Amino acid sequence: MKIKDRLALYFTLISTVVLLCVLSAIYFTFIKFMQAEFFARLTDRTMVTAKLYLEADEISTDSLTRVREQYLEKLNGEVTRIYNSKNDATFIGDDQQYWNHETIEKVRRYKKIRFKDGNRQVVGIYYKDNQGDFVILASAIDQSTISRVDKLLKIMGAIFLIIFVGLLLSARWIAKKILHPLNLFIDQVKLIKSNNLHFRVQEGVNKDEIYLLAQNFNNLMEHLEQSFILQKTFVANASHELRTPITRMIIGTEIALSQDRSKEEYQKALTSVLEDAEKLEDIISSLLKLAQADLEYGSTHLEKVRIDEMLWKLQQEWNQKSDAYKLIVEMKDLPMDEDQLTISCNPTLLQIAIDNLISNAFKFSDVQPVKCTLDVKEDGIHIFIADTGVGIDPSELNNIFNPFYSSSTKPEHTGNGMGLYMAHKIITLYRGTITVSSKKGEGTTFHVVFPPF
């Protein structure tokens, strides 16, 4: 059974049980109220009977006539008896016993009783008079109440049936309305194939469980897409970048071995092979770091890292490498609240990203001083890394974050084109943004922003 049908069924059953309890309470309360009212009427009847027949000698004829006309309207199936001390019927003119001695004695014992005898309601009272001790019993059938209860039962049955059908239909409509986003989610999930992992399901506007399910599913798809992209780009880039140095090594070695050569020529050939091997090692290391970055991102190993402490650490490391390197770190009005300086990330990966930006700045400025500025604002943490190097041509700004792309024109600026790509990837993974501004011949500034923690 579908969730929609189960929800509709459960809602209808619960509502039906509550409705039955309410209707039953109304029904039995009405019956008890009507019975109590009729018992009260019968009690009044016994008292009037006592006054009329037992004390008639004490009131005038006119008064007796008025009382009879006012109070002795015949009830449905009415039976009234007055019993003397010997339990014999008397006064009324009908000497039929009607009630047995046990009932009469019960009235004498309890002074006043009320009970039901089939459809009849019976009231008995014990009455003392100057003529003796008497028991008065009166009974009648409350036909009007029976008729009203019968009509009430039919009305309640019709109301129950109408409400039951209404509840069932409305419950199905409500369940369908509530579960519509889930059905939409299922239909959209069916559209996802291996060739469209970029597809994302609609999360909706209601912050409910279905919204959380869609949100988590989209996060899962993002991880899967990243994994597939990594797999594809790793294979494609590795095959493309590794082919060139390997081919050069093979060709250089074959040429060197094609004939006898002098010692200097062999040394030159081996030097060329060594250079290609070092470049090959550099490319493989970069590819492994890229793969490691994706694996680290896929894990849940996140820590709260103070960005100011990380920048001080990087400054110390770079300035200790050589006297040629000078990294200047500047802090602008740091806040007292530690949380405003905190980024939730993998500290190793974040350090790799910022270190790659600093390394790139040193390389393209020919080891001129690099300035790193930290500024914390309301919209997040701002990091500026500026150099005074050759700058970047405006036509190349859109390509510098692509893998294996290099804009270098000098031999000393050559690289594998992975540093900025990895930096961009890691910063983006931790919800940050990175932009670049540059002027040819004046230098380049990278601007990194992390939103508030």
Side-chain angles (χ1 to χ4, degrees):
M1 184 182 292
K2 293 184 177 180
I3 296 178
K4 176 184 69 176
D5 296 329
R6 288 207 303 270
L7 285 175
L9 180 61
Y10 295 156
F11 176 79
T12 304
L13 287 176
I14 293 173
S15 302
T16 300
V17 170
V18 173
L19 179 63
L20 276 175
C21 292
V22 172
L23 292 177
S24 299
I26 293 174
Y27 177 77
F28 289 110
T29 301
F30 179 78
I31 290 178
K32 291 297 182 182
F33 176 78
M34 296 304 293
Q35 287 178 352
E37 184 182 20
F38 196 72
F39 274 128
R41 292 178 64 187
L42 285 177
T43 301
D44 291 341
R45 179 70 58 161
T46 58
M47 295 302 297
V48 170
T49 300
K51 294 293 182 181
L52 288 176
Y53 291 98
L54 300 180
E55 298 183 12
D57 57 334
E58 300 176 4
I59 61 176
S60 65
T61 304
D62 293 338
S63 297
L64 178 62
T65 303
R66 285 198 304 271
V67 170
R68 285 177 176 175
E69 291 176 352
Q70 184 175 358
Y71 292 104
L72 290 186
E73 180 182 352
K74 195 74 172 177
L75 296 176
N76 194 328
E78 179 183 358
V79 176
T80 303
R81 292 289 184 274
I82 300 176
Y83 298 97
N84 58 21
S85 58
K86 296 180 180 180
N87 294 341
D88 295 328
T90 183
F91 284 103
I92 295 179
D94 185 352
D95 58 357
Q96 184 181 355
Q97 191 67 22
Y98 203 84
W99 281 284
N100 55 33
H101 291 277
E102 182 181 354
T103 302
I104 299 171
E105 288 300 324
K106 188 176 181 181
V107 176
R108 293 184 187 278
R109 186 166 62 252
Y110 293 105
K111 308 305 180 183
K112 185 178 180 180
I113 64 171
R114 292 180 176 183
F115 64 92
K116 289 198 67 176
D117 183 13
N119 290 333
R120 288 181 169 273
Q121 291 177 237
V122 183
V123 171
I125 63 171
Y126 177 70
Y127 193 87
K128 281 189 174 184
D129 187 68
N130 56 8
Q131 301 181 60
D133 298 335
F134 298 92
V135 170
I136 304 174
L137 282 162
S139 75
I141 300 174
D142 191 1
Q143 191 62 44
S144 62
T145 296
I146 294 175
S147 177
R148 290 174 184 176
V149 169
D150 184 61
K151 291 179 181 178
L152 179 63
L153 195 61
K154 291 179 180 178
I155 293 172
M156 284 185 170
I159 291 175
F160 175 79
L161 184 62
I162 293 172
I163 294 179
F164 176 79
V165 174
L167 285 173
L168 183 60
L169 295 177
S170 60
R172 284 183 59 85
W173 180 84
I174 292 172
K176 182 179 179 181
K177 188 75 174 177
I178 294 175
L179 295 177
H180 176 71
L182 182 60
N183 294 328
L184 181 62
F185 171 79
I186 294 172
D187 293 337
Q188 290 178 343
V189 169
K190 292 178 181 178
L191 300 176
I192 299 176
K193 307 295 179 183
S194 59
N195 59 348
N196 66 338
L197 293 177
H198 61 278
F199 183 81
R200 298 291 181 268
V201 299
Q202 296 181 14
E203 295 180 356
V205 295
N206 297 322
K207 307 297 182 180
D208 53 13
E209 288 79 2
I210 299 176
Y211 167 83
L212 295 176
L213 175 63
Q215 189 178 54
N216 286 298
F217 181 81
N218 284 337
N219 291 336
L220 174 62
M221 290 305 302
E222 184 176 350
H223 285 285
L224 289 176
E225 184 185 13
Q226 290 289 340
S227 299
F228 272 80
I229 291 175
L230 170 66
Q231 187 181 51
K232 291 180 180 179
T233 56
F234 185 88
V235 173
N237 293 332
S239 61
H240 176 267
E241 293 298 321
L242 295 177
R243 185 183 296 113
T244 300
I246 291 175
T247 302
R248 289 178 59 184
M249 290 171 62
I250 293 174
I251 295 175
T253 304
E254 289 178 346
I255 293 175
L257 296 175
S258 63
Q259 61 183 11
D260 293 335
R261 299 182 182 277
S262 64
K263 179 181 178 180
E264 291 76 11
E265 289 177 331
Y266 279 122
Q267 287 179 342
K268 184 178 180 180
L270 289 175
T271 301
S272 177
V273 171
L274 180 60
E275 290 176 355
D276 290 331
E278 290 176 346
K279 184 176 182 181
L280 181 62
E281 182 186 15
D282 193 24
I283 293 173
I284 292 174
S285 298
S286 298
L287 290 172
L288 290 176
K289 284 184 180 180
L290 178 62
Q292 183 65 26
D294 283 273
L295 291 175
E296 291 284 350
Y297 174 71
S299 69
T300 57
H301 182 64
L302 299 179
E303 299 178 10
K304 295 180 180 180
V305 178
R306 282 193 54 159
I307 191 64
D308 56 336
E309 294 178 354
M310 179 175 287
L311 293 180
W312 290 125
K313 179 181 177 182
L314 287 172
Q315 181 190 38
Q316 185 178 7
E317 291 178 357
W318 275 101
N319 292 343
Q320 288 178 351
K321 284 183 180 181
S322 171
D323 294 337
Y325 294 106
K326 185 178 181 181
L327 177 61
I328 303 171
V329 175
E330 180 181 336
M331 307 287 179
K332 287 188 176 181
D333 299 328
L334 296 185
M336 298 299 295
D337 187 1
E338 183 178 342
D339 289 340
Q340 293 182 273
L341 294 166
T342 301
I343 299 174
S344 181
C345 64
N346 182 303
T348 303
L349 290 183
L350 183 60
Q351 183 169 335
I352 289 174
I354 298 177
D355 192 63
N356 283 349
L357 295 177
I358 296 173
S359 175
N360 186 80
F362 276 121
K363 182 173 68 173
F364 283 90
S365 65
D366 296 322
V367 199
Q368 294 296 314
V370 174
K371 185 177 182 181
C372 179
T373 305
L374 174 63
D375 189 10
V376 179
K377 301 179 181 179
E378 292 184 359
D379 60 342
I381 297 173
H382 294 255
I383 304 171
F384 300 89
I385 300 174
D387 64 60
T388 55
V390 296
I392 304 173
D393 191 275
S395 62
E396 297 177 340
L397 288 177
N398 293 330
N399 299 320
I400 61 173
F401 296 118
N402 293 335
F404 299 104
Y405 178 81
S406 178
S407 61
S408 60
T409 56
K410 298 180 180 181
E412 58 269 23
H413 294 169
T414 57
N416 53 44
M418 294 295 292
L420 292 181
Y421 170 69
M422 290 179 61
H424 178 270
K425 185 176 182 65
I426 293 170
I427 291 170
T428 303
L429 292 180
Y430 294 126
R431 301 188 304 124
T433 59
I434 178 171
T435 56
V436 58
S437 60
S438 180
K439 288 185 179 181
K440 197 67 174 176
E442 295 184 11
T444 302
T445 300
F446 287 91
H447 181 197
V448 179
V449 180
F450 289 101
F453 175 68

